[in-house]
Amino acid sequence: MRAPIGSGTRIWHFSHIMPKTFIGQNCNIGQNVVVSPEVVLGNNVKVQNNVSIYTGVTCEDDVFLGPSMVFTNVINPRSAIARRNAYLPTRVKRGATIGANATVVCGITLGQFCFIGAGTVVTRDVKPYALIIGNPGKQTGWMSEYGHKLEFDEVGQAVCKESGERYELKNGQVEKLK
């Protein structure tokens, strides 16, 4: 069985794409990447070198996976005990960025346009636009869709310094204003 790979997608040296995966259009899969069965990568997903994407992971469009980051798929793995029926789904929403050497523990959702810093260990759901750093990962701010830290004023509004797009922080959630 073959894995459908969208047009314009590039796959570099020494990467292994397993059967029953789906890879969208215009993706870039770096060298030494493993994409396990039943993984879904949307359109324009960038996977840097040495990334392991295990069964149960779905990445929506425009996701960035930094060098050597890894997903898990079982909460309590043991070599001598088969737990293929215990894989937990992990969802990475549109536009999310996961930095180099980060680890994403299975069974969580990373919100759209969230930003996971290099080396972070993510152990729980992440809100849209949230900036998460550390081990364990903690939210330290908010990011724009262009990847810039947002500074909110006294009425809860911020402007991306690159795009000029406006955002609002209300009840612990960020939304882009139209």
Side-chain angles (χ1 to χ4, degrees):
M1 176 171 286
R2 301 184 80 171
I5 298 172
S7 66
T9 290
R10 296 175 300 184
I11 300 173
W12 294 89
H13 309 307
F14 313 116
S15 289
H16 192 79
I17 310 300
M18 303 286 284
K20 297 198 245 178
T21 63
F22 174 84
I23 299 174
Q25 297 178 6
N26 300 313
C27 294
N28 188 10
I29 311 293
Q31 83 175 20
N32 198 36
V33 169
V34 173
V35 184
S36 293
E38 300 173 23
V39 165
V40 175
L41 301 180
N43 297 320
N44 198 41
V45 173
K46 305 296 185 235
V47 182
Q48 301 298 298
N49 297 341
N50 307 309
V51 173
S52 298
I53 310 171
Y54 295 121
T55 299
V57 173
T58 297
C59 294
E60 294 182 357
D61 295 347
D62 304 318
V63 166
F64 178 88
L65 305 178
S68 302
M69 69 79 49
V70 69
F71 293 98
T72 69
N73 62 359
V74 174
I75 250 348
N76 58 341
R78 292 288 193 195
S79 178
I81 301 170
R83 292 209 164 106
R84 290 198 170 123
N85 60 345
Y87 292 166
L88 295 177
T90 300
R91 185 166 196 97
V92 183
K93 298 288 206 158
R94 179 175 167 255
T97 291
I98 303 173
N101 294 305
T103 299
V104 177
V105 175
C106 59
I108 64 175
T109 297
L110 303 183
Q112 68 179 13
F113 299 103
C114 71
F115 199 101
I116 309 304
T120 296
V121 178
V122 184
T123 60
R124 61 178 66 121
D125 288 349
V126 174
K127 293 178 182 181
Y129 300 100
L131 170 62
I132 308 294
I133 60 172
N135 181 7
K138 296 202 182 319
Q139 184 174 348
T140 62
W142 303 96
M143 299 293 276
S144 74
E145 292 182 13
Y146 276 64
H148 296 286
K149 192 164 184 184
L150 293 169
E151 303 295 335
F152 289 92
D153 62 20
E154 63 280 348
V155 295
Q157 304 236 335
V159 177
C160 173
K161 67 182 181 181
E162 184 175 352
S163 69
E165 294 171 329
R166 299 172 46 78
Y167 296 83
E168 182 175 48
L169 175 60
K170 192 176 192 180
N171 299 321
Q173 300 286 334
V174 168
E175 289 186 18
K176 185 168 89 169
L177 299 173
K178 299 189 187 268

